[in-house]
Amino acid sequence: MIRVLQVLSEFQSFAVITAAYIICHGLTAWAVTPVQQLFLPEITVFASLIYLPHGVRVLSVWLLGWKAVPPLAAGAVLSELIFTPGTVLPVGEPVLWQSIAVGAFSAYAAFEIAWLFGWTLYAGQTRRIAWTGLLAVGGLASVINSLGQSVVFSGLIFPGGQLPVMAVYAAGDLIGLAVCMIALMLIFRWLRLAGAGRKPQK
């Protein structure tokens, strides 16, 4: 019975992370990309200035460690299938899977690098949530992701355009993480207030 509950819990975690990734990718594709396309059309094809799924990556790995990598990859695959126009997907398909792998693994790599240097940031390791630490490790994950993506897309981006694309990748990941962290803090605050409101008065 315990094993069944554990499997169900893992399935729920997988589903929640995958769904959160898809929703955030959709918000980025439908709200951020059209605006960015007006000002940075060449870079928009490769990177977003506000990439919300990076926040999902960092927060998911923070909560589940390496177990978050498969649902993140699944969310990325489904997001590409749902939101990438049919005329674009065949062009990027040879590098698409490499790009997804880099993105899904970047946050876990950052947490593990931080751990190697004695900075344990996974959830439950400390009594208080180290928001600044999460932002820092998210920045490291963004660097890992932007470097990896620049290698993956090196054959599609002109040499003179790699630096701007990497800069937008890094900025978009960090801004997306900050937005997700603010949303999570507001959710935690709401839960605390709701819990306090349910306590019986003495």
Side-chain angles (χ1 to χ4, degrees):
M1 183 63 180
I2 295 176
R3 176 62 180 168
V4 172
L5 292 175
Q6 184 179 7
V7 170
L8 287 175
S9 177
E10 291 177 358
F11 177 78
Q12 289 173 343
S13 299
F14 192 103
V16 168
I17 292 172
T18 302
Y21 193 101
I22 293 171
I23 291 169
C24 286
H25 189 103
L27 288 172
T28 302
W30 287 338
V32 177
T33 300
V35 177
Q36 184 179 323
Q37 182 73 29
L38 298 175
F39 302 98
L40 300 168
E42 298 86 2
I43 293 176
T44 303
V45 176
F46 300 99
S48 173
L49 274 172
I50 305 176
Y51 193 62
L52 297 175
H54 186 68
V56 178
R57 291 175 189 151
V58 174
L59 296 175
S60 298
V61 173
W62 169 60
L63 289 169
L64 297 179
W66 66 267
K67 292 182 179 179
V69 175
L72 287 171
V77 171
L78 292 172
S79 295
E80 292 295 337
L81 294 174
I82 295 170
F83 299 108
T84 303
T87 55
V88 175
L89 187 59
V91 175
E93 197 168 2
V95 297
L96 179 62
W97 311 114
Q98 298 171 22
S99 173
I100 287 171
V102 169
F105 188 73
S106 61
Y108 177 66
F111 273 91
E112 287 299 298
I113 290 171
W115 179 79
L116 286 174
F117 284 92
W119 205 12
T120 304
L121 292 170
Y122 289 111
Q125 300 296 319
T126 56
R127 296 188 65 179
R128 293 178 61 86
I129 299 174
W131 295 109
T132 54
L134 280 177
L135 195 58
V137 81
L140 177 58
S142 178
V143 170
I144 294 170
N145 184 43
S146 59
L147 288 173
Q149 299 297 347
S150 69
V151 172
V152 168
F153 289 110
S154 61
L156 299 176
I157 305 172
F158 295 111
Q162 282 191 328
L163 189 59
V165 171
M166 285 179 62
V168 173
Y169 252 111
D173 284 350
L174 278 178
I175 295 171
L177 172 60
V179 171
C180 287
M181 286 175 62
I182 292 170
L184 190 63
M185 284 189 283
L186 292 174
I187 291 170
F188 284 168
R189 178 179 173 81
W190 178 79
L191 290 173
R192 283 197 302 269
L193 292 174
R198 286 197 298 267
K199 288 183 180 178
Q201 295 183 348
K202 293 183 179 179

